Amino acid sequence: MTNDKTDGTLEACWGRVCDHLRKEIGEAAYQSWVKPMTVRSIDDGIARISVPTRFMRDWVAAHYVDRLGALWSKEDKFVNSVDVFVQSERALRSDGAAASPKEAVQAPGVVINESAERPGGDHAAISGPLDSRNVFDNFVVGKSNEFAYAAARRVAEAASVPFNPLFLYGGVGLGKTHLMHAIAWHISQQDPQRRVIYLSAEKFMYRFIRALKEQSTVDFKEMFRNVDVLMIDDVQFIGGKGATQEEFFHTFNALVDQGRQIVLSADKSPSDLEGMEERLQSRLNCGLVADIHATTFELRLGILQSKAEQLKVEIPPKMMEFLAHKITSNVRELEGALNRVVAHSQLVGRAITLETTQEVLHDLLRANDRRVTIEDIQKSVAAHFNIRISDMHSARRARSVARPRQVAMYLAKQLTSRSLPEIGRKFGGRDHTTVMHAVKKVDELRECDQSFAEDVELLRRMLEGQPAAGFRRT
Ligand code: ADP
Ligand code: MG
């Protein structure tokens, strides 16, 4: 990296760029974000700027880098972009994470809150990447996630520890990681002195195992025990790993005892985590457990509107409703669907229509169609056998209703991912052994009764091929 301009020119130019930006963003933001930057060099039309921490780099990269580039190219037409990298001796030494400026900028959002002067371990080196889009402002709140959202905000905004740990749980793609990143961003922005570590449980285990091998477990422990906020994502992966779970438990206890905040996420509630030791489970249950439920139609619509705004594209309301009706699995898929539709329309240069959307998403739409609910099953089976839907829940044992009920339970087991207890609950609060018995019974009957087997098969095919109401591909 060489600099073929004199420092004077470079710095004078940078000074003018800064002045401009200062006017645009105001004094406070200028002092926090622009002032700590140092211009280092220009090569190949790229102005290279260093900042002292990774957190700053991520923030600047997300919020100011484009504007800086634009202002700079007005000052110097040979500059067409700006690169921000972390210049901290410690960061350069540790982990190779910021080995070269280029690398440092390309890996978006490696955390956070590192300051070269701070004693007690390099937190930034162990923290995982944070996506700069995952902030509270971009999180759409609805019935299914309002509690988790409020809890996350509370942790992010509180001066002391409001509850410990905060345990967020819910199915994939429903916003757990988004909320965790949002907490990290918020805290780091409010108080850059607070040391925040965010990492996946897998990374945590990997680090720990590496420390074991390198016999540096003492450092490892110190690192975690000196943080203000420790966030571990997807802790279901810690289950069943003896030594790591033990270490996790000790770290956890030490931090809680010192009044440090812990935030965890998982795909299940603490009590449902498999392979998790009981004492750990009960500690996890001690804080605040907040679950994120499956999305509602309104939330999906809200998310689509917000994403479309972010993408700065106009999407007909009818199209958004269509997508919100059809892509019900999770937010990640919903986002993916929207991105695909938008990318396609931009590529072919045509407006988004229902037809092209169905074309572009046909695989996704089919996969979402196939997800049958227990209610669908109960409805279809009741209709087929000519009984009332309420008989699916009733205690009546007459064979004329008991048999169809068993068929419905059987199909629920086959066609949904619900567990036996869950299915039992949906059938008037029956026990899981009743469901198990129904599945066995139906299997036996299918073996020996041809017409019964055909009935079940017919119902299964009907349910699987069942198009969701409203739109149908022809
Ligand atoms: P999880 O960690 O629960 O599997 P993520 O947090 O990774 O899910 O969310 C998947 C995607 O959906 C991310 O891009 C995230 O930003 C987005 N997302 C999830 N919930 C919301 C929401 N309520 N508002 C906006 N975006 C959301
Ligand atoms: Mg996640």
Side-chain angles (χ1 to χ4, degrees):
M1 200 193 321
T2 51
N3 170 20
D4 48 12
K5 299 199 170 210
T6 66
D7 268 322
T9 321
L10 182 62
E11 267 157 18
C13 210
W14 171 235
R16 288 194 296 276
V17 171
C18 289
D19 281 344
H20 271 294
L21 198 59
R22 187 187 209 146
K23 287 191 196 112
E24 289 179 10
I25 66 177
E27 190 59 28
Y30 173 82
Q31 289 293 336
S32 319
W33 305 111
V34 184
K35 192 128 177 284
M37 297 184 200
T38 314
V39 59
R40 298 288 174 182
S41 67
I42 294 184
D43 44 33
D44 283 345
I46 302 173
R48 298 198 187 277
I49 292 175
S50 75
V51 290
T53 68
R54 295 186 195 196
F55 174 62
M56 284 205 59
R57 184 199 66 209
D58 298 338
W59 192 264
V60 168
H63 297 91
Y64 299 121
V65 106
D66 292 342
R67 190 62 197 140
L68 276 175
L71 287 171
W72 209 321
S73 54
K74 272 195 204 154
E75 292 291 334
D76 178 348
K77 65 178 186 325
F78 295 108
V79 171
N80 45 42
S81 68
V82 170
D83 232 12
V84 186
F85 65 98
V86 183
Q87 183 90 326
S88 137
E89 283 309 306
R90 194 194 294 273
L92 292 172
R93 242 188 304 119
S94 66
D95 205 31
S100 75
K102 209 167 188 134
E103 211 176 293
V105 175
Q106 278 172 348
V110 182
V111 183
I112 230 178
N113 271 4
E114 180 192 17
S115 124
E117 316 86 66
R118 183 176 293 125
D122 182 359
H123 298 89
I126 46 175
S127 222
L130 289 188
D131 189 323
S132 61
R133 290 163 302 185
N134 287 346
V135 291
F136 284 124
D137 281 349
N138 289 345
F139 193 81
V140 182
V141 185
K143 270 211 166 43
S144 57
N145 60 22
E146 61 186 0
F147 183 54
Y149 171 80
R153 266 222 102 103
R154 188 72 213 290
V155 163
E157 284 164 3
S160 56
V161 174
F163 20 74
N164 221 355
L166 168 60
F167 191 100
L168 299 169
Y169 81 92
V172 288
L174 294 182
K176 302 182 295 293
T177 298
H178 188 132
L179 283 178
M180 290 185 111
H181 286 194
I183 295 173
W185 284 119
H186 190 94
I187 292 178
S188 310
Q189 211 190 331
Q190 294 295 305
D191 182 0
Q193 294 305 312
R194 283 178 85 190
R195 289 153 301 182
V196 181
I197 288 185
Y198 162 86
L199 78 178
S200 66
E202 277 171 316
K203 210 45 170 301
F204 178 86
M205 293 195 305
Y206 167 78
R207 289 269 170 193
F208 178 64
I209 290 160
R210 202 172 74 176
L212 275 182
K213 272 198 203 127
E214 291 168 2
Q215 302 187 321
S216 57
T217 49
V218 176
D219 292 349
F220 176 85
K221 286 178 188 171
E222 278 313 301
M223 205 129 67
F224 285 107
R225 289 179 193 180
N226 275 318
V227 301
D228 294 306
V229 184
L230 174 64
M231 300 204 261
I232 302 191
D233 208 348
D234 289 321
V235 296
Q236 70 271 13
F237 293 121
I238 291 184
K241 308 275 188 337
T244 358
Q245 207 177 121
E246 187 77 7
E247 179 53 33
F248 178 68
F249 186 64
H250 287 309
T251 306
F252 183 87
N253 283 341
L255 289 171
V256 170
D257 290 345
Q258 292 168 34
R260 310 295 171 80
Q261 179 70 56
I262 295 181
V263 183
L264 304 169
S265 86
D267 64 352
K268 299 185 193 68
S269 76
S271 331
D272 287 336
L273 283 175
E274 282 151 30
M276 197 59 90
E277 278 182 47
E278 223 167 273
R279 55 184 185 149
L280 188 49
Q281 266 179 12
S282 73
R283 278 222 86 149
L284 296 181
N285 265 318
C286 280
L288 184 75
V289 178
D291 57 342
I292 306 183
H293 302 274
T295 56
T296 59
F297 172 74
E298 287 73 26
L299 180 64
R300 291 194 294 276
L301 199 57
I303 289 172
L304 286 171
Q305 280 158 354
S306 145
K307 302 280 169 195
E309 235 167 73
Q310 282 170 41
L311 293 171
K312 299 194 174 62
V313 289
E314 283 279 344
I315 298 176
K318 274 248 161 325
M319 283 299 319
M320 299 224 217
E321 280 168 30
F322 172 74
L323 288 177
H325 268 301
K326 294 295 246 177
I327 317 285
T328 55
S329 46
N330 66 51
V331 184
R332 189 170 300 138
E333 256 185 27
L334 190 66
E335 266 187 348
L338 182 68
N339 289 339
R340 263 163 72 178
V341 171
V342 170
H344 179 268
S345 99
Q346 287 172 348
L347 270 175
V348 301
R350 259 184 283 135
I352 296 167
T353 66
L354 199 58
E355 285 68 40
T356 53
T357 301
Q358 286 179 321
E359 282 283 325
V360 174
L361 300 179
H362 77 274
D363 52 336
L364 203 59
L365 292 172
R366 272 192 44 204
N368 275 271
D369 270 352
R370 244 183 274 124
R371 286 188 190 108
V372 182
T373 67
I374 293 184
E375 287 73 20
D376 292 337
I377 295 172
Q378 291 174 331
K379 225 186 281 171
S380 303
V381 175
H384 183 83
F385 289 102
N386 210 8
I387 63 170
R388 286 178 311 218
I389 296 180
S390 61
D391 279 330
M392 289 289 164
H393 315 271
S394 78
R396 286 180 61 202
R397 287 165 177 234
R399 172 163 305 169
S400 60
V401 297
R403 189 71 82 222
R405 200 188 289 132
Q406 286 177 325
V407 170
M409 289 186 203
Y410 170 88
L411 288 168
K413 183 78 197 95
Q414 303 292 320
L415 302 181
T416 75
S417 55
R418 302 282 167 188
S419 66
L420 294 174
E422 279 174 309
I423 296 173
R425 275 198 290 280
K426 295 262 188 181
F427 283 84
R430 289 179 155 77
D431 194 68
H432 75 277
T433 51
T434 309
V435 184
M436 222 150 70
H437 175 75
V439 173
K440 221 171 111 205
K441 187 77 203 168
V442 171
D443 263 333
E444 279 167 18
L445 285 171
R446 280 172 59 235
E447 287 286 307
C448 59
D449 181 341
Q450 182 67 28
S451 82
F452 179 80
E454 277 166 14
D455 268 356
V456 175
E457 186 53 27
L458 184 75
L459 278 163
R460 190 181 64 76
R461 253 188 277 141
M462 204 172 76
L463 282 160
E464 280 196 315
Q466 175 176 292
F471 300 92
R472 190 182 187 141
R473 269 173 67 81
T474 44

